[in-house]
Amino acid sequence: MSDPVETPTPKRGPVRFRRADAPRLQPDDARRQGEITRIAFQRLGREGAIAFLNSDNAELGTRPLDLATSSAQGFASVEAALGRLPVPAATEA
């Protein structure tokens, strides 16, 4: 029988990170984004929240996550829209 052929393990160099080209969120924007995400997850569950926050919404005229992150008024609009949605059976208490 022949010996199995060993394939050499590729050598990796040091991991280098580059700065992202996209600007970072301002602290207030990041706080609003985190808070609206938390509210949506509690109300709609993980999958429902992700779908709601990242899909264009006809009532709001844009993606809810973008609107909520942009201003306090936008946050209030998205929070109100979440409040008007029916609660899925799996997340009711």
Side-chain angles (χ1 to χ4, degrees):
M1 289 196 179
S2 63
D3 291 329
V5 177
E6 289 186 33
T7 55
T9 305
K11 293 186 179 187
R12 296 181 183 212
V15 177
R16 298 180 196 269
F17 295 96
R18 64 181 178 85
R19 290 188 174 264
D21 294 334
R24 290 181 174 246
L25 288 176
Q26 294 299 315
D28 284 344
D29 297 345
R31 180 190 53 73
R32 285 190 297 270
Q33 184 181 66
E35 184 65 12
I36 204 65
T37 301
R38 184 189 63 75
I39 293 167
F41 270 58
Q42 285 180 335
R43 178 132 180 107
L44 305 174
R46 182 181 190 279
E47 296 301 318
I50 291 169
F52 173 78
L53 292 171
N54 291 300
S55 300
D56 283 330
N57 183 287
E59 177 188 348
L60 299 171
T62 190
R63 273 183 1 140
L65 189 60
D66 294 339
L67 183 61
T69 302
S70 67
S71 68
Q73 294 84 5
F75 180 91
S77 296
V78 174
E79 186 175 32
L82 276 166
R84 289 188 293 274
L85 292 175
V87 178
T91 60
E92 288 179 345

Coordinates of all heavy atoms in Angstrom, one line a residue:
M1 N 0.8 -1.2 0.0 CA 0.0 0.0 0.0 C 0.9 1.2 0.0 O 2.0 1.2 0.5 CB -0.9 0.0 1.2 CG -2.0 -0.9 1.2 SD -3.1 -0.4 2.5 CE -4.3 -1.7 2.3
S2 N 0.3 2.3 -0.5 CA 1.1 3.5 -0.5 C 0.7 4.4 0.7 O -0.4 4.3 1.2 CB 0.8 4.3 -1.8 OG -0.6 4.6 -1.9
D3 N 1.7 5.2 1.0 CA 1.4 6.1 2.1 C 0.5 7.3 1.7 O 0.6 7.7 0.5 CB 2.8 6.7 2.6 CG 3.7 5.7 3.3 OD1 3.1 4.8 3.9 OD2 4.9 5.8 3.1
P4 N -0.4 7.7 2.6 CA -1.2 8.9 2.2 C -0.4 10.1 2.0 O 0.6 10.3 2.6 CB -2.2 9.0 3.4 CG -1.6 8.3 4.5 CD -0.6 7.3 3.9
V5 N -0.8 10.9 1.0 CA -0.1 12.1 0.7 C -0.6 13.2 1.6 O -1.8 13.4 1.8 CB -0.4 12.5 -0.8 CG1 0.3 13.8 -1.1 CG2 0.0 11.4 -1.7
E6 N 0.4 13.8 2.3 CA 0.0 14.9 3.2 C 0.0 16.2 2.4 O 0.9 16.5 1.7 CB 1.0 15.0 4.3 CG 0.9 13.8 5.3 CD 1.8 14.0 6.5 OE1 2.0 15.2 6.9 OE2 2.3 13.0 7.0
T7 N -1.0 17.0 2.6 CA -1.0 18.3 2.0 C -0.5 19.3 3.0 O -0.9 19.3 4.2 CB -2.5 18.8 1.6 OG1 -3.3 18.7 2.7 CG2 -3.0 17.9 0.5
P8 N 0.4 20.2 2.6 CA 1.0 21.1 3.5 C -0.1 22.1 4.0 O -1.0 22.5 3.3 CB 2.1 21.8 2.8 CG 1.7 21.6 1.3 CD 0.9 20.3 1.3
T9 N 0.0 22.5 5.3 CA -0.9 23.5 5.8 C -0.4 24.9 5.4 O 0.8 25.2 5.5 CB -0.9 23.5 7.4 OG1 -1.2 22.1 7.8 CG2 -1.8 24.4 8.0
P10 N -1.3 25.7 4.8 CA -0.8 27.0 4.4 C -0.4 27.9 5.6 O -1.0 27.8 6.6 CB -2.0 27.6 3.7 CG -3.2 26.8 4.1 CD -2.7 25.5 4.6
K11 N 0.7 28.6 5.4 CA 1.2 29.5 6.5 C 0.4 30.8 6.4 O 0.2 31.3 5.3 CB 2.7 29.7 6.3 CG 3.4 28.4 6.6 CD 4.9 28.7 6.6 CE 5.6 27.4 6.9 NZ 7.0 27.6 7.1
R12 N 0.1 31.3 7.5 CA -0.7 32.6 7.6 C 0.2 33.6 8.2 O 0.9 33.3 9.2 CB -1.9 32.4 8.3 CG -2.9 31.5 7.7 CD -4.2 31.4 8.5 NE -5.1 30.5 7.8 CZ -6.4 30.6 7.9 NH1 -7.0 31.5 8.5 NH2 -7.1 29.7 7.3
G13 N 0.2 34.8 7.6 CA 0.9 35.9 8.2 C 0.1 36.6 9.3 O -0.9 36.1 9.7
P14 N 0.6 37.6 9.8 CA -0.1 38.3 10.9 C -1.4 38.9 10.3 O -1.5 39.3 9.2 CB 0.9 39.5 11.3 CG 1.8 39.6 10.2 CD 1.9 38.3 9.5
V15 N -2.4 38.9 11.2 CA -3.7 39.5 10.8 C -3.6 41.0 10.9 O -3.1 41.6 11.9 CB -4.8 39.0 11.8 CG1 -6.1 39.7 11.5 CG2 -4.9 37.5 11.8
R16 N -4.0 41.6 9.8 CA -3.9 43.1 9.8 C -5.3 43.6 9.5 O -6.1 43.1 8.7 CB -3.0 43.6 8.6 CG -1.6 43.1 8.8 CD -0.7 43.6 7.7 NE 0.5 42.9 7.6 CZ 1.6 43.3 8.2 NH1 1.6 44.4 8.9 NH2 2.7 42.6 8.1
F17 N -5.7 44.7 10.3 CA -7.0 45.3 10.1 C -6.8 46.6 9.4 O -5.8 47.3 9.6 CB -7.6 45.5 11.5 CG -7.9 44.2 12.2 CD1 -7.0 43.6 13.1 CD2 -9.1 43.5 11.9 CE1 -7.3 42.5 13.7 CE2 -9.4 42.3 12.5 CZ -8.5 41.8 13.4
R18 N -7.8 47.0 8.6 CA -7.7 48.3 8.0 C -8.9 49.1 8.5 O -9.9 48.5 8.9 CB -7.7 48.2 6.5 CG -9.0 47.6 5.9 CD -8.8 47.6 4.4 NE -10.0 47.0 3.8 CZ -11.1 47.6 3.5 NH1 -11.3 48.9 3.8 NH2 -12.2 46.9 3.0
R19 N -8.8 50.4 8.5 CA -9.9 51.2 8.9 C -11.0 51.1 7.9 O -10.8 51.0 6.7 CB -9.5 52.7 9.0 CG -8.5 52.9 10.1 CD -8.3 54.4 10.2 NE -7.5 54.7 11.4 CZ -8.0 55.1 12.6 NH1 -9.3 55.2 12.7 NH2 -7.2 55.3 13.6
A20 N -12.2 51.0 8.5 CA -13.4 51.0 7.6 C -13.6 52.3 6.9 O -13.3 53.4 7.5 CB -14.6 50.7 8.4
D21 N -14.0 52.3 5.7 CA -14.3 53.5 5.0 C -15.5 54.3 5.4 O -15.7 55.5 5.3 CB -14.3 53.3 3.5 CG -13.0 52.8 2.9 OD1 -12.0 53.1 3.5 OD2 -13.0 52.1 1.9
A22 N -16.5 53.5 6.0 CA -17.7 54.1 6.4 C -17.5 54.8 7.7 O -16.8 54.4 8.6 CB -18.8 53.0 6.6
P23 N -18.2 56.0 7.8 CA -18.1 56.7 9.1 C -18.8 56.0 10.2 O -19.7 55.3 10.0 CB -18.8 58.1 8.8 CG -19.7 57.8 7.7 CD -19.1 56.6 6.9
R24 N -18.3 56.2 11.4 CA -18.9 55.6 12.6 C -20.1 56.4 13.0 O -20.2 57.5 12.8 CB -17.9 55.6 13.8 CG -16.7 54.6 13.6 CD -15.8 54.7 14.8 NE -14.8 53.7 14.7 CZ -14.7 52.6 15.5 NH1 -15.5 52.5 16.5 NH2 -13.7 51.8 15.3
L25 N -21.0 55.7 13.7 CA -22.2 56.3 14.2 C -21.8 57.2 15.4 O -20.9 56.9 16.2 CB -23.2 55.3 14.7 CG -24.0 54.5 13.7 CD1 -24.8 53.4 14.5 CD2 -24.8 55.3 12.8
Q26 N -22.5 58.4 15.4 CA -22.3 59.2 16.6 C -22.9 58.6 17.8 O -23.8 57.7 17.7 CB -23.1 60.6 16.3 CG -22.4 61.4 15.2 CD -21.0 61.8 15.5 OE1 -20.7 62.2 16.6 NE2 -20.1 61.6 14.5
P27 N -22.5 58.9 19.0 CA -23.0 58.2 20.2 C -24.5 58.2 20.3 O -25.1 57.2 20.7 CB -22.4 59.0 21.4 CG -21.1 59.5 20.8 CD -21.4 59.8 19.3
D28 N -25.2 59.3 20.1 CA -26.7 59.4 20.2 C -27.3 58.5 19.1 O -28.3 57.8 19.4 CB -27.2 60.8 20.0 CG -27.0 61.7 21.2 OD1 -26.7 61.1 22.3 OD2 -27.1 62.9 21.1
D29 N -26.8 58.5 17.9 CA -27.3 57.6 16.9 C -27.1 56.1 17.2 O -28.1 55.3 17.1 CB -26.6 57.8 15.5 CG -26.8 59.3 15.0 OD1 -27.7 60.0 15.5 OD2 -26.0 59.6 14.1
A30 N -26.0 55.8 17.8 CA -25.7 54.4 18.2 C -26.7 54.0 19.3 O -27.2 52.9 19.4 CB -24.3 54.2 18.6
R31 N -26.9 54.9 20.3 CA -27.8 54.6 21.4 C -29.2 54.4 20.9 O -29.9 53.4 21.3 CB -27.8 55.8 22.4 CG -28.7 55.5 23.6 CD -28.9 56.8 24.4 NE -29.3 57.9 23.7 CZ -30.6 58.1 23.2 NH1 -31.5 57.2 23.3 NH2 -30.8 59.3 22.5
R32 N -29.7 55.2 19.9 CA -31.0 55.0 19.4 C -31.1 53.7 18.6 O -32.1 53.0 18.7 CB -31.4 56.2 18.5 CG -31.8 57.5 19.2 CD -32.4 58.5 18.3 NE -31.4 59.0 17.3 CZ -30.6 60.0 17.5 NH1 -30.6 60.7 18.6 NH2 -29.8 60.4 16.5
Q33 N -30.1 53.4 17.9 CA -30.1 52.2 17.1 C -30.2 50.9 18.0 O -31.0 50.0 17.8 CB -28.8 52.1 16.2 CG -28.8 50.9 15.3 CD -27.5 50.8 14.5 OE1 -26.5 50.6 15.1 NE2 -27.6 50.9 13.2
G34 N -29.4 51.0 19.1 CA -29.4 49.8 20.0 C -30.8 49.7 20.7 O -31.3 48.6 20.9
E35 N -31.3 50.9 21.1 CA -32.6 50.9 21.9 C -33.8 50.4 21.0 O -34.6 49.6 21.4 CB -32.9 52.3 22.4 CG -34.1 52.3 23.3 CD -34.1 51.5 24.6 OE1 -33.0 51.1 25.0 OE2 -35.1 51.4 25.2
I36 N -33.8 50.9 19.7 CA -34.9 50.4 18.9 C -34.8 49.0 18.5 O -35.8 48.3 18.4 CB -35.1 51.3 17.6 CG1 -36.5 51.3 17.1 CG2 -34.1 51.0 16.5 CD1 -37.6 51.9 18.0
T37 N -33.6 48.5 18.4 CA -33.3 47.1 18.1 C -33.8 46.2 19.3 O -34.5 45.2 19.2 CB -31.9 46.8 17.8 OG1 -31.5 47.6 16.7 CG2 -31.6 45.4 17.6
R38 N -33.5 46.7 20.5 CA -33.9 46.0 21.7 C -35.4 45.9 21.8 O -36.0 44.9 22.1 CB -33.4 46.7 23.0 CG -33.7 45.9 24.3 CD -33.3 46.7 25.5 NE -34.1 48.0 25.6 CZ -35.3 48.1 26.0 NH1 -36.0 47.0 26.3 NH2 -35.9 49.2 26.1
I39 N -36.1 47.0 21.6 CA -37.6 47.1 21.6 C -38.2 46.2 20.6 O -39.1 45.4 20.9 CB -38.1 48.6 21.4 CG1 -37.6 49.4 22.6 CG2 -39.6 48.6 21.2 CD1 -37.8 50.9 22.4
A40 N -37.6 46.2 19.4 CA -38.2 45.4 18.3 C -38.0 43.9 18.6 O -38.9 43.1 18.4 CB -37.5 45.7 17.0
F41 N -36.8 43.5 19.2 CA -36.6 42.1 19.5 C -37.6 41.7 20.6 O -38.1 40.6 20.5 CB -35.1 41.9 20.0 CG -34.2 41.6 18.9 CD1 -34.0 42.4 17.8 CD2 -33.4 40.5 18.9 CE1 -33.1 42.2 16.8 CE2 -32.5 40.1 17.9 CZ -32.3 41.0 16.9
Q42 N -37.8 42.5 21.6 CA -38.8 42.1 22.6 C -40.2 42.0 22.1 O -40.9 41.1 22.5 CB -38.7 43.2 23.8 CG -37.5 43.1 24.6 CD -37.6 44.2 25.7 OE1 -38.2 45.2 25.6 NE2 -36.8 44.0 26.8
R43 N -40.6 42.9 21.2 CA -41.9 42.9 20.7 C -42.2 41.8 19.6 O -43.2 41.2 19.6 CB -42.3 44.2 20.2 CG -43.6 44.4 19.6 CD -44.3 45.6 20.1 NE -45.7 45.6 19.5 CZ -46.8 45.4 20.1 NH1 -46.7 45.1 21.4 NH2 -47.9 45.5 19.5
L44 N -41.2 41.6 18.7 CA -41.4 40.8 17.5 C -40.6 39.5 17.5 O -40.8 38.7 16.6 CB -41.1 41.6 16.3 CG -41.8 42.9 16.1 CD1 -41.3 43.7 14.9 CD2 -43.3 42.7 16.0
G45 N -39.7 39.3 18.4 CA -38.8 38.2 18.4 C -37.6 38.5 17.4 O -37.7 39.5 16.6
R46 N -36.7 37.7 17.4 CA -35.4 37.9 16.6 C -35.7 38.1 15.1 O -35.4 39.1 14.5 CB -34.4 36.8 16.8 CG -33.1 37.0 16.0 CD -32.2 35.8 16.3 NE -30.9 36.1 15.7 CZ -30.5 36.0 14.5 NH1 -31.4 35.6 13.6 NH2 -29.3 36.3 14.1
E47 N -36.4 37.1 14.5 CA -36.6 37.1 13.0 C -37.5 38.2 12.6 O -37.3 38.9 11.6 CB -37.1 35.8 12.6 CG -36.2 34.6 12.7 CD -34.8 34.8 12.0 OE1 -34.8 35.3 10.9 OE2 -33.8 34.5 12.6
G48 N -38.6 38.4 13.4 CA -39.6 39.5 13.1 C -38.9 40.9 13.2 O -39.2 41.7 12.4
A49 N -38.1 41.1 14.2 CA -37.4 42.3 14.4 C -36.5 42.6 13.3 O -36.5 43.8 12.7 CB -36.7 42.4 15.8
I50 N -35.7 41.7 12.9 CA -34.7 41.8 11.8 C -35.5 42.2 10.5 O -35.1 43.1 9.8 CB -33.8 40.6 11.6 CG1 -32.9 40.5 12.8 CG2 -33.1 40.7 10.3 CD1 -32.1 39.2 12.9
A51 N -36.6 41.5 10.2 CA -37.3 41.8 9.0 C -38.0 43.2 9.1 O -37.9 43.9 8.1 CB -38.4 40.7 8.8
F52 N -38.5 43.5 10.2 CA -39.2 44.8 10.3 C -38.2 46.0 10.2 O -38.4 46.9 9.4 CB -39.9 44.9 11.7 CG -40.4 46.3 11.9 CD1 -41.6 46.8 11.3 CD2 -39.8 47.2 12.8 CE1 -42.1 48.1 11.6 CE2 -40.3 48.5 13.1 CZ -41.4 48.9 12.4
L53 N -37.1 45.9 10.9 CA -36.1 47.0 11.0 C -35.3 47.2 9.7 O -34.9 48.3 9.4 CB -35.1 46.7 12.1 CG -35.7 46.9 13.5 CD1 -34.6 46.4 14.5 CD2 -36.1 48.3 13.8
N54 N -35.2 46.1 8.9 CA -34.3 46.2 7.7 C -35.1 46.3 6.4 O -34.5 46.3 5.3 CB -33.3 45.1 7.7 CG -32.3 45.2 8.8 OD1 -31.6 46.2 8.8 ND2 -32.3 44.3 9.7
S55 N -36.4 46.2 6.4 CA -37.2 46.3 5.2 C -37.9 47.7 5.0 O -38.2 48.3 6.0 CB -38.4 45.2 5.3 OG -37.8 43.9 5.4
D56 N -38.0 48.1 3.8 CA -38.7 49.4 3.6 C -40.1 49.3 4.2 O -40.8 48.3 4.0 CB -38.8 49.7 2.1 CG -37.4 50.3 1.6 OD1 -36.7 50.9 2.4 OD2 -37.1 50.1 0.4
N57 N -40.5 50.3 4.8 CA -41.8 50.3 5.5 C -42.7 51.5 4.8 O -42.3 52.6 4.9 CB -41.7 50.6 7.0 CG -43.0 50.6 7.7 OD1 -43.8 51.5 7.6 ND2 -43.2 49.5 8.5
A58 N -43.8 51.1 4.2 CA -44.6 52.1 3.5 C -45.1 53.2 4.4 O -45.2 54.4 4.1 CB -45.8 51.4 2.8
E59 N -45.5 52.8 5.6 CA -46.1 53.8 6.6 C -45.0 54.8 7.0 O -45.3 56.0 7.1 CB -46.5 53.0 7.9 CG -47.0 53.9 9.0 CD -47.3 53.2 10.3 OE1 -47.4 52.0 10.3 OE2 -47.5 53.9 11.3
L60 N -43.8 54.3 7.2 CA -42.7 55.2 7.6 C -42.0 55.9 6.4 O -41.3 56.9 6.6 CB -41.7 54.5 8.5 CG -42.3 53.9 9.8 CD1 -41.3 53.0 10.5 CD2 -42.7 55.0 10.7
G61 N -42.1 55.3 5.3 CA -41.4 55.8 4.1 C -40.0 55.5 3.9 O -39.3 56.1 3.0
T62 N -39.5 54.6 4.7 CA -38.0 54.2 4.7 C -37.8 53.0 5.5 O -38.8 52.4 6.1 CB -37.1 55.4 5.1 OG1 -35.8 55.1 4.9 CG2 -37.3 55.7 6.6
R63 N -36.6 52.6 5.6 CA -36.2 51.5 6.5 C -36.4 52.0 8.0 O -35.8 53.0 8.3 CB -34.8 51.0 6.3 CG -34.6 50.0 5.3 CD -33.2 49.5 5.1 NE -32.2 50.1 6.1 CZ -31.2 49.4 6.7 NH1 -31.1 48.1 6.4 NH2 -30.4 49.9 7.5
P64 N -37.1 51.3 8.8 CA -37.3 51.7 10.2 C -35.9 51.9 11.0 O -35.8 52.9 11.7 CB -38.1 50.6 10.8 CG -38.9 50.1 9.7 CD -38.0 50.1 8.5
L65 N -35.0 51.1 10.7 CA -33.7 51.2 11.4 C -33.0 52.5 11.1 O -32.5 53.2 12.0 CB -32.8 50.0 11.2 CG -31.5 49.9 12.0 CD1 -31.8 49.8 13.5 CD2 -30.7 48.7 11.6
D66 N -33.0 52.9 9.8 CA -32.4 54.1 9.4 C -33.1 55.3 10.0 O -32.5 56.3 10.5 CB -32.4 54.3 7.9 CG -31.6 53.2 7.2 OD1 -30.6 52.7 7.8 OD2 -31.8 53.0 6.0
L67 N -34.5 55.3 10.0 CA -35.2 56.4 10.5 C -35.0 56.5 12.0 O -34.8 57.6 12.5 CB -36.7 56.2 10.2 CG -37.7 57.3 10.7 CD1 -37.4 58.6 10.0 CD2 -39.1 56.9 10.4
A68 N -35.1 55.4 12.8 CA -34.9 55.5 14.2 C -33.5 56.0 14.6 O -33.4 56.7 15.6 CB -35.2 54.1 14.8
T69 N -32.5 55.6 13.8 CA -31.1 56.0 14.1 C -30.9 57.5 13.8 O -30.1 58.1 14.5 CB -30.2 55.1 13.3 OG1 -30.4 53.8 13.6 CG2 -28.7 55.5 13.6
S70 N -31.6 58.1 12.9 CA -31.3 59.4 12.4 C -31.7 60.5 13.3 O -31.0 61.6 13.3 CB -32.0 59.6 11.0 OG -33.4 59.7 11.2
S71 N -32.7 60.4 14.1 CA -33.2 61.5 15.0 C -34.1 61.0 16.1 O -34.6 59.9 16.0 CB -33.9 62.5 14.2 OG -35.1 62.0 13.7
A72 N -34.3 61.8 17.1 CA -35.2 61.5 18.2 C -36.7 61.3 17.6 O -37.4 60.5 18.1 CB -35.2 62.5 19.3
Q73 N -37.0 62.2 16.7 CA -38.4 62.2 16.1 C -38.5 60.9 15.3 O -39.6 60.2 15.4 CB -38.6 63.4 15.2 CG -38.7 64.7 15.9 CD -37.3 65.3 16.2 OE1 -36.3 64.8 15.7 NE2 -37.3 66.4 16.9
G74 N -37.5 60.5 14.6 CA -37.5 59.2 13.8 C -37.7 58.0 14.7 O -38.4 57.1 14.5
F75 N -36.9 58.1 15.8 CA -37.0 57.0 16.8 C -38.4 56.9 17.3 O -39.0 55.8 17.4 CB -36.1 57.3 18.0 CG -36.1 56.2 19.1 CD1 -35.2 55.1 19.0 CD2 -37.0 56.3 20.1 CE1 -35.3 54.2 20.0 CE2 -37.0 55.4 21.1 CZ -36.2 54.3 21.1
A76 N -39.1 58.0 17.7 CA -40.4 58.0 18.2 C -41.4 57.5 17.2 O -42.3 56.7 17.5 CB -40.8 59.4 18.7
S77 N -41.2 57.8 15.9 CA -42.1 57.3 14.9 C -42.0 55.8 14.7 O -43.0 55.1 14.6 CB -41.7 57.9 13.5 OG -41.9 59.3 13.5
V78 N -40.8 55.3 14.8 CA -40.6 53.8 14.7 C -41.1 53.1 15.9 O -41.8 52.1 15.8 CB -39.1 53.5 14.4 CG1 -38.9 52.0 14.4 CG2 -38.6 54.1 13.1
E79 N -40.9 53.7 17.1 CA -41.4 53.1 18.3 C -42.9 53.0 18.3 O -43.5 52.0 18.7 CB -40.9 53.9 19.5 CG -41.3 53.3 20.8 CD -40.6 54.1 22.0 OE1 -40.5 55.3 21.9 OE2 -40.3 53.5 23.0
A80 N -43.6 54.1 17.8 CA -45.0 54.1 17.7 C -45.5 53.1 16.7 O -46.5 52.4 16.9 CB -45.5 55.5 17.3
A81 N -44.8 52.9 15.5 CA -45.2 51.9 14.5 C -45.0 50.5 15.1 O -45.9 49.7 14.9 CB -44.3 52.1 13.3
L82 N -44.0 50.3 15.9 CA -43.9 49.0 16.6 C -45.0 48.7 17.5 O -45.5 47.6 17.6 CB -42.6 48.9 17.3 CG -41.3 48.6 16.6 CD1 -40.1 48.9 17.4 CD2 -41.3 47.1 16.2
G83 N -45.5 49.8 18.2 CA -46.6 49.6 19.1 C -47.9 49.3 18.4 O -48.8 48.7 19.1
R84 N -48.1 49.6 17.2 CA -49.3 49.4 16.4 C -49.3 48.0 15.8 O -50.3 47.5 15.4 CB -49.5 50.4 15.3 CG -49.9 51.8 15.9 CD -50.3 52.8 14.8 NE -49.2 53.1 13.9 CZ -48.3 54.1 14.2 NH1 -48.4 54.8 15.3 NH2 -47.3 54.4 13.3
L85 N -48.1 47.3 15.8 CA -48.1 46.0 15.2 C -48.7 44.9 16.1 O -48.5 45.0 17.3 CB -46.6 45.6 14.9 CG -45.9 46.4 13.8 CD1 -44.4 46.0 13.7 CD2 -46.6 46.2 12.5
P86 N -49.3 43.9 15.5 CA -49.8 42.9 16.4 C -48.7 42.1 17.0 O -47.6 41.9 16.3 CB -50.7 42.0 15.5 CG -50.2 42.3 14.1 CD -49.7 43.7 14.1
V87 N -48.8 41.6 18.2 CA -47.7 40.8 18.8 C -47.9 39.4 18.4 O -48.9 38.8 18.5 CB -47.9 40.9 20.4 CG1 -46.8 40.0 21.0 CG2 -47.8 42.3 20.9
P88 N -46.8 38.8 17.8 CA -46.8 37.4 17.4 C -47.1 36.5 18.6 O -46.7 36.8 19.7 CB -45.4 37.1 16.9 CG -44.8 38.5 16.6 CD -45.5 39.4 17.5
A89 N -47.9 35.5 18.3 CA -48.3 34.5 19.4 C -47.1 34.0 20.2 O -47.2 33.8 21.4 CB -49.1 33.4 18.8
A90 N -46.0 33.7 19.5 CA -44.8 33.1 20.2 C -44.2 34.1 21.2 O -43.5 33.6 22.1 CB -43.8 32.7 19.2
T91 N -44.4 35.4 21.1 CA -43.7 36.3 22.0 C -44.7 36.9 23.0 O -44.3 37.7 23.8 CB -43.1 37.5 21.2 OG1 -44.1 38.2 20.5 CG2 -42.0 37.0 20.3
E92 N -46.0 36.5 23.0 CA -46.9 37.0 24.0 C -46.6 36.5 25.3 O -46.2 35.3 25.5 CB -48.4 36.7 23.6 CG -48.9 37.5 22.4 CD -50.3 37.1 22.0 OE1 -50.8 36.0 22.5 OE2 -50.9 37.8 21.3
A93 N -46.8 37.3 26.4 CA -46.5 36.8 27.7 C -47.8 36.3 28.4 O -48.9 36.7 28.2 CB -45.9 37.9 28.5

